[in-house]
């Protein structure tokens, strides 16, 4: 038998190093990375690295697949075109440079989208990372190397998607974390989870490769354009929707567009395939211009063409890792205009596909008119509230008839009946009377008064609020997210402004992964669903949540078994203390002695029954353990390993549950010790005299 030649079988044939792949495709490392990201190719880890452990390996069939990609020729032409631009710029031929920049090679990603997502459901399943990255770029500042076009496009695409989810009522879960706000929505039968970062100002870090992120942004922008167009077309709405510039300037998401049935949205221009292709081409031009403006260090690129693997952490694996939400500032700005009033309501369920809406999500905030304080995250709260049936959501600065300046809460309350501000009280005391107080109050228009009369909730995140509306409930932003996760509006008293909040439980945690452990607040929410009205007082005692508004008073005296107050009459206490010296007292003593004997006999019988039950339970557990051990001995080695692997997750979950239960017991013990009054010691007269001396 002829001996096998080295390098003809095994890993040597299946895998190829990055240097050989670059040489075979005849592209630079920068273009190779872009091509791998767009096509979904990522590095592999072979069991045996034939050419060394410090090299990056790819499947040979993946590289052969890239060799037939039409974009490869476009990237080669772009590299040659960039050399012409640099040569003309070195010769100071400005007219030639301008002409060459206008004639860059262009391409679209239509064939890649069809190839990677053959069905619409496949595109929806891969939308988690796309929405998270688009939300990230929408919050970043438009600074080099991120061009303003990228930020504007990301803001508009995110607003279009959230507008569709709010109109169809697809929101299922919401959670506020340190990284941002997590949302989960049901769209097209698929659950989509994405993260919107907090709107904070931030400086762009210098150790991030923005070219890689912009390449992912290029792909996800094209995917989201197609998904939004398909979603709007399925409901009969025109795409793109007409933008309301006043709403986008305020940073809102849902009410920044005017959509409706086909008759109402006839004014919006219909989008075509050419428009989508043009948008993709513009994004490609942005990525190409960003890459062209950066100076290509030939020596560094030649050194990076090796397979050290140090700079290739995002060649393909970044597509599988969720992008880390960063913080940034920048209000979404969209083109177009509209004459619709700000703070408009979204009609839930208008044109929603069948099976998209949920009865529970429709009725959480049904009929509620909610005002959002300016210190709250207005876009996220507006999206969450309108998705769950709120009749109207208005930002504090957009109250009808108000200028949005000063203390909006106090100004709004001043025009409402039944509210007197401290300034008005001060003028009344000085002798001005009602006329002076009315002059000091801001004059509200009829539209403002009519709106304030319909407000049911005011969401604020301030320590205190002066001048409140009598008919409105004042809550903190956590009330919105917890109510959505609970599936019903939780009692506002648990989320009073300025009070301590209950724990914010994550809806993405599976109780089975924690050994069936149920947090204490989750158990209270379950009792609220069952109609238990005593949970609010229990939560206040357990977590110290809410604020005492003086609406309810506790009855004095000891508390009975059912939580009822026990009222003791004065005569009963006096008779019990006196004891008496008549025959009736003797008879009562005999009856009490007989009752004590009966109680002792009953306790002995109960102890015997408990001991019998414990013995029976221990015997049953021992028999079950013996049967299980016998069954294990009858299994084969393969089945025994499979059974151990199947029960490993249960054991791990049980361990997590036991650890959480022990932690909860320690916290409760510490809280009880802190709440217990400190023991008081009596000082003797001698020590008191010495202290005075």
């Amino acid at each position: 038998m002829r001996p096998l030649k080295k390098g003809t079988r095994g890993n040597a044939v299946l895998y190829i190093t990055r240097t050989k792949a670059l040489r075979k495709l005849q592209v630079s490392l920068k273009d190779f990375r872009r091509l791998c990201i767009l096509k979904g190719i990522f590095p592999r880890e072979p069991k045996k690295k034939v050419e060394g452990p410090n090299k990056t390996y790819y499947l040979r069939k993946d590289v052969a697949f890239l060799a037939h990609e039409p974009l490869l020729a476009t990237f080669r032409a772009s590299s040659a075109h960039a050399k012409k631009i640099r040569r003309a710029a070195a010769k100071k031929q400005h007219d030639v440079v301008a002409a060459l920049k206008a004639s860059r090679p262009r391409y679209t990603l239509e064939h890649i989208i069809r190839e990677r997502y053959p069905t619409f459901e496949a595109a929806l399943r891969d939308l988690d990372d796309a929405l998270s990255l688009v939300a990230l770029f929408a919050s970043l500042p438009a600074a080099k190397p991120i061009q303003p076009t990228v930020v504007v496009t990301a803001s508009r695409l995110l607003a279009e998607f959230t507008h569709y989810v709010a109109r169809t009522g697809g929101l299922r879960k919401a959670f506020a974390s340190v990284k941002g706000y997590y949302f989960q929505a049901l769209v097209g039968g698929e659950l989509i989870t994405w993260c919107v970062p907090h709107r904070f100002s931030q400086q762009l870090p210098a150790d991030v490769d923005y070219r890689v992120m912009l390449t992912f942004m290029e792909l996800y922008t094209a995917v989201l354009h197609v998904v939004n167009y398909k979603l709007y077309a399925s409901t009969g709405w025109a795409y793109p929707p007409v933008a309301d510039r006043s709403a986008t300037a305020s940073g809102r998401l849902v009410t920044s567009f005017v959509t409706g049935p086909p008759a109402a949205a006839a004014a919006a221009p219909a989008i075509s395939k050419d428009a989508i292709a043009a948008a993709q081409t513009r994004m490609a031009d942005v990525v190409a211009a960003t890459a062209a403006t950066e100076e290509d260090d030939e020596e560094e690129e030649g050194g990076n063409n090796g397979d050290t693997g140090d700079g290739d952490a995002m060649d393909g694996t970044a597509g599988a890792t969720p992008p880390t939400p960063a913080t940034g500032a920048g209000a979404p700005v969209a083109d177009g205009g509209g004459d619709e009033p700000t703070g408009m309501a979204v009609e839930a369920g208008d044109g929603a596909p069948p099976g998209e809406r949920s009865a529970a999500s429709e009725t959480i905030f049904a009929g509620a008119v909610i005002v959002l304080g300016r210190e709250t995250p207005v876009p996220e709260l507006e999206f969450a509230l309108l998705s769950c049936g709120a009749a109207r959501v208005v930002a504090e600065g957009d109250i009808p008839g108000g200028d949005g300046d000063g203390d909006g809460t106090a100004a709004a309350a001043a025009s409402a009946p039944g509210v007197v501000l401290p300034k008005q009280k001060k003028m009344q005391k000085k002798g001005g009377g009602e006329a002076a107080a009315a002059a000091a109050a801001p004059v509200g228009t009829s539209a403002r008064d009519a709106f304030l009369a319909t407000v049911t909730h005011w969401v604020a995140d301030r320590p205190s609020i002066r001048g409140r509306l009598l008919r409105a409930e004042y809550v903190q932003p956590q009330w919105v997210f917890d109510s959505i996760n609970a599936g019903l509006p939780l009692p506002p008293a648990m989320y009073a402004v300025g009070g301590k909040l209950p724990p914010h439980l994550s809806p993405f945690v599976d109780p089975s992964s924690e050994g069936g452990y149920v947090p204490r607040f989750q158990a209270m929410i379950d009792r609220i669903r069952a109609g238990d009205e005593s949970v609010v007082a229990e939560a206040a005692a357990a977590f110290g949540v809410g604020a005492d508004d003086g609406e309810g008073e506790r009855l004095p005296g000891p508390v009975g078994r059912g939580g009822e107050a026990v009222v003791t009459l004065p005569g009963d206490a006096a008779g019990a203390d006196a004891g008496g010296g008549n025959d009736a007292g003797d008879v009562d003593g005999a009856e009490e002695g007989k009752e004590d004997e009966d109680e002792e006999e009953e306790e002995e019988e109960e102890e015997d029954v408990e001991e019998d039950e414990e013995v029976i339970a221990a015997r049953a557990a021992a028999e079950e353990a013996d049967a299980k051990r016998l069954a294990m001995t009858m299994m084969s080695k393969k089945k025994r390993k499979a059974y151990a692997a199947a029960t490993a997750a249960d054991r791990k979950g049980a361990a997590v549950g036991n650890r959480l239960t022990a932690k909860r017991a320690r916290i409760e013990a510490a809280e009880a010790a802190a709440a217990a009054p400190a023991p008081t010691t009596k000082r003797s007269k001698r020590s008191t005299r010495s202290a005075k001396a």
Side-chain angles (χ1 to χ4, degrees), residues 300-564:
E300 182 180 355
E301 184 173 330
N304 287 338
N305 284 344
D307 299 301
T308 58
D310 295 336
D312 204 30
M314 296 187 66
D315 281 358
T317 56
T321 304
T324 302
T327 54
V333 180
D335 296 331
D339 299 330
E340 295 293 331
T342 59
M344 59 178 295
V346 173
E347 298 178 3
D350 189 9
E356 195 80 3
R357 299 196 59 85
S358 172
S361 64
E362 290 182 12
T363 58
I364 294 178
F365 305 112
V369 179
I370 303 175
V371 177
L372 303 178
R374 62 192 48 170
E375 72 280 357
T376 61
V378 174
E380 289 75 18
L381 290 178
E382 177 208 28
F383 165 60
L385 290 169
L386 293 178
S387 299
C388 297
R392 189 175 184 183
V393 179
V394 179
E396 183 180 344
D398 298 332
I399 295 177
D403 54 359
D405 297 332
D407 192 349
T409 307
S415 62
V419 177
V420 181
L421 296 181
K423 184 178 179 181
Q424 301 175 25
K425 290 182 179 180
K426 186 176 181 181
M427 296 197 66
Q428 289 179 5
K429 291 180 179 179
K430 287 183 177 180
E434 298 292 339
V443 180
T445 61
S446 60
R448 182 187 186 88
D449 296 338
F451 169 75
L452 293 176
T454 62
V455 173
T456 59
H457 296 81
W458 195 299
V459 182
D461 197 10
R462 309 175 188 174
S464 61
I465 294 179
R466 62 184 185 91
R468 299 192 180 191
L469 298 176
L470 297 179
R471 303 180 183 90
E473 295 282 355
Y474 285 78
V475 293
Q476 300 189 44
Q478 185 180 328
W479 173 77
V480 178
F481 301 114
D482 287 352
S483 298
I484 293 174
N485 299 331
L488 78 166
L490 296 177
M494 301 171 62
Y495 300 87
V497 174
K500 185 178 179 181
L501 290 171
H504 186 39
L505 303 178
S506 174
F508 302 100
V509 176
D510 186 10
S512 61
S513 63
E514 296 182 349
Y517 173 78
V518 178
R520 184 166 46 170
F521 186 61
Q522 182 62 45
M524 294 181 181
I525 293 176
D526 296 338
R527 290 169 53 189
I528 292 175
R529 291 197 189 101
D532 190 353
E533 298 180 356
S534 63
V535 177
V536 178
E538 185 177 343
F543 306 110
V545 301
D548 189 7
D549 296 330
E551 297 178 356
E553 296 181 0
R554 295 183 180 180
L555 294 175
V559 179
R561 290 186 177 180
E564 302 175 354

Side-chain angles (χ1 to χ4, degrees), residues 154-217:
S155 303
R156 182 176 181 88
L157 289 176
L158 180 63
E160 290 173 356
F161 182 80
T162 53
H163 183 83
Y164 172 83
V165 174
R167 292 292 300 272
T168 56
L171 186 64
R172 294 295 178 266
K173 296 178 182 179
F175 181 67
S177 72
V178 178
K179 293 183 178 180
Y181 302 94
Y182 286 87
F183 298 104
Q184 187 178 86
L186 182 64
V187 178
E190 300 290 339
L191 286 175
I192 301 173
T193 306
W194 72 98
C195 179
V196 179
H198 295 287
R199 297 175 180 269
F200 295 146
S201 176
Q202 144 181 342
Q203 299 292 332
L204 296 178
D207 56 346
V208 176
D209 193 348
Y210 293 99
R211 290 186 298 181
V212 174
M213 296 182 63
L214 286 172
T215 304
F216 276 104
M217 184 64 184

Side-chain angles (χ1 to χ4, degrees), residues 33 102 124 128 201 218 353 435 546 667:
R33 285 176 173 172
L124 291 177
D128 296 357
S201 176
E218 178 185 3
I667 294 175

Side-chain angles (χ1 to χ4, degrees), residues 22-308:
L22 294 177
R23 192 178 302 119
K24 181 178 181 179
L25 297 176
Q26 297 181 0
V27 292
S28 63
L29 178 61
K30 176 184 62 178
D31 293 337
F32 180 74
R33 285 176 173 172
R34 290 182 61 193
L35 196 60
C36 288
I37 292 172
L38 296 177
K39 296 289 288 184
I41 306 300
F42 52 90
R44 306 285 181 160
E45 287 291 334
K47 293 182 179 180
K48 183 179 179 181
K49 297 184 178 181
V50 181
E51 299 193 20
N54 297 327
K55 296 182 180 296
T56 305
Y57 293 85
Y58 291 85
L59 283 175
R60 193 177 292 271
K61 63 178 182 180
D62 289 343
V63 177
F65 175 64
L66 292 177
H68 300 283
E69 173 58 39
L71 288 179
L72 197 58
T74 307
F75 288 167
R76 293 169 182 165
S78 298
S79 299
H81 199 77
K83 292 180 182 179
K84 294 179 181 179
I85 294 177
R86 288 197 296 268
R87 191 179 300 113
K91 295 180 180 180
K92 297 184 179 181
Q93 299 175 353
H94 303 293
D95 297 339
V96 177
V97 171
L100 288 174
K101 287 183 177 180
S103 61
R104 279 199 185 100
R106 302 179 182 274
Y107 62 91
T108 61
L109 303 179
E110 292 182 357
H111 65 287
I112 291 182
I113 294 177
R114 293 195 188 98
E115 177 184 302
R116 295 188 63 173
Y117 310 109
T119 62
F120 183 62
E121 289 74 15
L124 291 177
R125 283 193 294 268
D126 198 32
L127 210 60
D128 296 357
D129 291 341
L131 281 173
S132 298
L133 188 65
V134 168
L136 169 62
F137 271 92
S139 62
L140 290 179
K144 187 177 180 180
I146 301 175
Q147 298 188 7
T149 308
V150 179
V151 179
V152 172
T153 303
S155 303
R156 182 176 181 88
L157 289 176
L158 180 63
E160 290 173 356
F161 182 80
T162 53
H163 183 83
Y164 172 83
V165 174
R167 292 292 300 272
T168 56
L171 186 64
R172 294 295 178 266
K173 296 178 182 179
F175 181 67
S177 72
V178 178
K179 293 183 178 180
Y181 302 94
Y182 286 87
F183 298 104
Q184 187 178 86
L186 182 64
V187 178
E190 300 290 339
L191 286 175
I192 301 173
T193 306
W194 72 98
C195 179
V196 179
H198 295 287
R199 297 175 180 269
F200 295 146
S201 176
Q202 144 181 342
Q203 299 292 332
L204 296 178
D207 56 346
V208 176
D209 193 348
Y210 293 99
R211 290 186 298 181
V212 174
M213 296 182 63
L214 286 172
T215 304
F216 276 104
M217 184 64 184
E218 178 185 3
L219 173 64
Y220 291 151
T221 299
V223 174
L224 206 53
H225 261 122
V226 176
V227 169
N228 287 347
Y229 168 71
K230 180 67 176 177
L231 292 176
Y232 276 68
S234 64
T235 54
W237 301 339
Y239 186 82
V242 179
D244 183 5
R245 296 189 66 87
S246 60
T248 55
S250 300
R252 295 192 296 275
L253 295 178
V254 180
T255 56
S256 59
F257 295 104
V258 181
T259 57
I271 197 169
S272 61
K273 292 184 178 180
D274 297 337
I276 295 178
Q280 297 175 6
T281 303
R282 288 196 298 271
M283 182 58 63
D285 292 343
V286 169
V287 176
T290 304
T293 53
E294 298 179 358
E295 297 181 0
D296 296 332
D297 192 347
E298 300 295 338
E299 296 179 358
E300 182 180 355
E301 184 173 330
N304 287 338
N305 284 344
D307 299 301
T308 58

